Amino acid sequence: VEFKEADIRPKNVFDEYLRLSALDIPEYFQNVSMETVTCVACGGQKAKPALQKSGFNFDQCTECRTLFMNPRPAAEVFRRFYESAPSNSYWSNYFFPAVVEARREKIFRPRVLGIQSLLKKRGLEPKVVMDIGAGAGVFLEEWQKLSPSTELRAVEPGEALSEVCRSKGFKVLESTAEHAQEWHGQADLVVCFEVIEHVHNVNDFLASLVKLVKPGGAVVVSGLSVDGFDIQTLWEKSKSISPPHHINFLSVDGFSKSFLQFGLMDVEVLTPGQLDVDIVRNAMSDGIWNGDQWWNLVYSRGNECLRDFQEFLRKHKMSSHLWAMGFKPS
Ligand SMILES: [Zn+2]
């Protein structure tokens, strides 16, 4: 399914979200205590300053290239922000509902098909699937349409979203992954989409996903990668680099290393993203980025050239939308 940035992030809705986020920063992040962290992916201690945005500093690991906010506010500061900040209620009450059906068709359905096909190649047909940060349960609904006999479960910390998942008939644990002990060791497949870029402690978070899986089961995580074309090109001007929401951008290497650190095997990292080229084109037409002579030439060549270029990015793991998969030893 081919699609454009505007299908899933209409400019006016996205810009309003970014405007509210900017207003939340002085409200929630002024004069808070800050913690220094090592590389959130490989644990490496060597990092160099990479960029500053909205008053936050990001370092880049010299070992694995992962880009991460450092120093970062304490976990408690983020907890309060996610519970009550206007940008977050705008996301759940307005932004996501406005694009949910477009995302169902362009993102969630292809995601189910993609994951099922990857698992089939490894001979895994999961009986119990858990979606961590399940939101309104759209991934689980799409899974159910294709595989009605799978037991589908949601781990979702939001009270209202948990209720939505329950009303759709899914088993729900109203919790974060880090506090989901009662479901440890029960899933054949744990999936978690676009959460890792938000989490305060990536290590604790990934460890908790691995604990939810049975021996022989799989973990699939998707998220933003620093190695992606649009992020590399636009850097601090990238709308994806949006602190305080997005604070971790693992590299392809970083995802791979962190999965291996938690004992997962047969780790595979893919970048099936489709939007990098469109995102950069939009940044050029909005005057956020001027491009250079070569890019202007590429963009003038039209759709087939751009599609081929996006395909090149996918093939060589240079899209900013990344999937990482690994298996727990049996
Ligand atoms: Zn690193």
Side-chain angles (χ1 to χ4, degrees), residues 176-213:
T176 58
E178 291 88 338
H179 296 98
Q181 287 86 346
E182 57 187 281
W183 281 4
H184 279 181
Q186 297 185 20
D188 300 296
L189 170 65
V190 165
V191 296
C192 184
F193 307 111
E194 337 300 344
V195 175
I196 195 166
E197 49 271 46
H198 298 263
V199 302
H200 184 259
N201 188 320
V202 172
N203 258 302
D204 289 356
F205 174 72
L206 288 175
S208 67
L209 298 188
V210 175
K211 285 179 189 154
L212 290 164
V213 185

Side-chain angles (χ1 to χ4, degrees), residues 39-44 46 61-66 68 251 254 257:
C39 172
V40 298
C42 76
K46 285 188 196 152
C61 175
T62 53
E63 297 282 317
C64 79
R65 295 186 317 279
T66 288
F68 56 102
S251 61
K257 283 182 169 149

Side-chain angles (χ1 to χ4, degrees), residues 210-227:
V210 175
K211 285 179 189 154
L212 290 164
V213 185
K214 289 178 197 167
V219 177
V220 174
V221 172
S222 77
L224 289 163
S225 167
V226 65
D227 295 336

Side-chain angles (χ1 to χ4, degrees), residues 67 83 105 129 183 276 289 293 320:
L67 178 72
E83 270 178 15
E105 182 202 342
V129 174
W183 281 4
D276 308 65
W289 189 61
Q293 194 164 286
S320 60

Side-chain angles (χ1 to χ4, degrees), residues 259-313:
F259 266 44
L260 292 168
Q261 267 170 13
F262 289 106
L264 295 173
M265 306 184 326
D266 299 327
V267 172
E268 186 172 353
V269 177
L270 307 164
T271 68
Q274 298 185 69
L275 294 181
D276 308 65
V277 170
D278 190 46
I279 288 169
V280 171
R281 174 160 60 183
N282 292 339
M284 287 166 76
S285 59
D286 292 346
I288 292 167
W289 189 61
N290 291 326
D292 56 25
Q293 194 164 286
W294 192 71
W295 279 115
N296 281 294
L297 179 62
V298 171
Y299 279 97
S300 74
R301 288 293 167 93
N303 286 335
E304 190 186 345
C305 177
L306 298 180
R307 268 198 301 275
D308 287 349
F309 184 59
Q310 185 67 45
E311 183 51 38
F312 168 90
L313 298 175

